[in-house]
Amino acid sequence: MVRLHVNVDHVATVRQARRERFPCPIEWALGCESAGADGITCHLRKDRRHIQDADVRELRSRIRTLLNLECSLDSEMVALALESGAEAFCLVPETRQEITTEGGLDVRGERARLAQVLPLFAERGGVVSLFIDADREQLAAAADSGAPFVELHTGRYAIARGDERQRELERLQAAASFARSRGLRVNAGHGLDYDNVAPIARLEGVEELNIGYAIVAHALFVGVDAAVAQMRAAIAKATRNSKSSGGIP
Ligand code: PXP
């Protein structure tokens, strides 16, 4: 089955709104694991708007599954990531003003910095994915970079409607197939929710989905156990029955 990594950033967003000690993203991550998450993802942003350095340390020491740390190519962030003890890293673009990660990494433009940092992650046994748009040139550059994984940005698919959504889905499938043909392994994420996850879970070659906002938001109503279990069930149903259309089971 396609693995589910739950992104816990927005639990920290709520905590940071009051600079309180609760809600605790670590306790919430442990709840995600109990409910069947295959791993936990967090994004240590340079502006520290949600996850803090201490959260990363505590997540790594307390969760039992894999920690996937998202970070930019900024030298300070890369240094922190290398020391974090996380097993997996997703390299993302980051701008100060954006509400969330808006586009994929410009792998072609970042070739030089990637050539410097990828060996450093590899030396520590870290598995790196590059968060990129479903763009052939970027995928080819990702394959040339030597990174083992890409994470396909599903944000455009998530906000598209009707025929446009279908076109975005086809672009993602073509991207996943091309990536696999170039030796890359493929994850996907951004903007996925209970209603739109099924077609992405069914994309051939996709191994892991990173989902945060929708699960955190749903958990406000049903609790973390049910929110994670329902997303797992939606993914399982999609991959079991290729004709199902998704939604909260
Ligand atoms: N993947 C990456 C690389 C991201 O930056 C994010 C958002 O932090 C996600 C997945 C999860 O997106 P969402 O919170 O919309 O599910």
Side-chain angles (χ1 to χ4, degrees):
M1 190 178 115
V2 174
R3 294 190 305 275
L4 171 63
H5 270 230
V6 181
N7 181 315
V8 301
D9 291 351
H10 295 306
V11 179
T13 300
V14 176
R15 180 192 62 191
Q16 295 308 110
R18 287 289 177 92
R19 303 285 188 273
E20 268 290 358
R21 293 171 61 189
F22 61 89
C24 173
I26 291 89
E27 295 298 337
W28 202 82
L30 295 174
C32 292
E33 287 187 321
S34 301
D38 299 295
I40 300 298
T41 297
C42 69
H43 183 174
L44 185 65
R45 294 187 75 107
K46 197 170 172 69
D47 63 13
R48 309 299 200 276
R49 65 174 70 161
H50 39 53
I51 292 292
Q52 307 296 303
D53 302 48
D55 294 327
V56 179
R57 285 193 293 275
E58 205 181 336
L59 277 169
R60 186 48 285 151
S61 70
R62 293 187 59 198
I63 67 169
R64 295 176 307 277
T65 56
L66 197 127
L67 178 62
N68 174 34
L69 179 62
E70 295 174 3
C71 74
S72 72
L73 281 168
D74 175 272
S75 54
E76 177 207 349
M77 305 319 293
V78 168
L80 285 168
L82 288 167
E83 296 309 315
S84 69
E87 294 88 357
F89 303 90
C90 182
L91 301 179
V92 300
E94 202 176 288
T95 61
R96 284 294 174 106
Q97 296 79 18
E98 68 188 356
I99 291 175
T100 181
T101 314
E102 279 170 357
L105 196 63
D106 177 9
V107 183
R108 297 181 73 201
E110 293 286 7
R111 222 183 309 236
R113 277 210 286 186
L114 285 168
Q116 280 175 355
V117 305
L118 288 176
L120 303 177
F121 285 109
E123 268 167 32
R124 284 168 168 73
V127 178
V128 172
S129 71
L130 306 178
F131 185 52
I132 58 175
D133 292 319
D135 175 290
R136 211 167 241 257
E137 288 190 349
Q138 294 293 346
L139 285 159
D144 293 343
S145 78
F149 275 90
V150 286
E151 180 176 326
L152 294 176
H153 194 320
T154 50
R156 280 173 58 171
Y157 157 82
I159 57 174
R161 295 289 173 265
D163 290 351
E164 199 194 332
R165 175 171 282 188
Q166 187 54 34
R167 278 195 295 279
E168 288 299 330
L169 190 60
E170 284 161 16
R171 264 162 51 90
L172 287 162
Q173 182 58 77
S177 303
F178 179 67
R180 302 274 297 178
S181 77
R182 295 292 308 266
L184 287 161
R185 296 174 69 184
V186 180
N187 299 330
H190 209 284
L192 298 179
D193 62 30
Y194 297 87
D195 293 319
N196 67 21
V197 72
I200 300 298
R202 281 198 293 267
L203 288 178
E204 213 180 313
V206 168
E207 297 185 34
E208 174 190 298
L209 301 181
N210 279 285
I211 308 180
Y213 185 76
I215 296 176
V216 173
H218 192 47
L220 292 175
F221 294 93
V222 301
V224 60
D225 277 12
V228 172
Q230 287 175 9
M231 187 59 84
R232 263 187 70 86
I235 294 169
K237 185 176 168 198
T239 49
R240 222 177 21 244
N241 173 9
S242 62
K243 290 198 173 69
S244 79
S245 60
I248 295 173

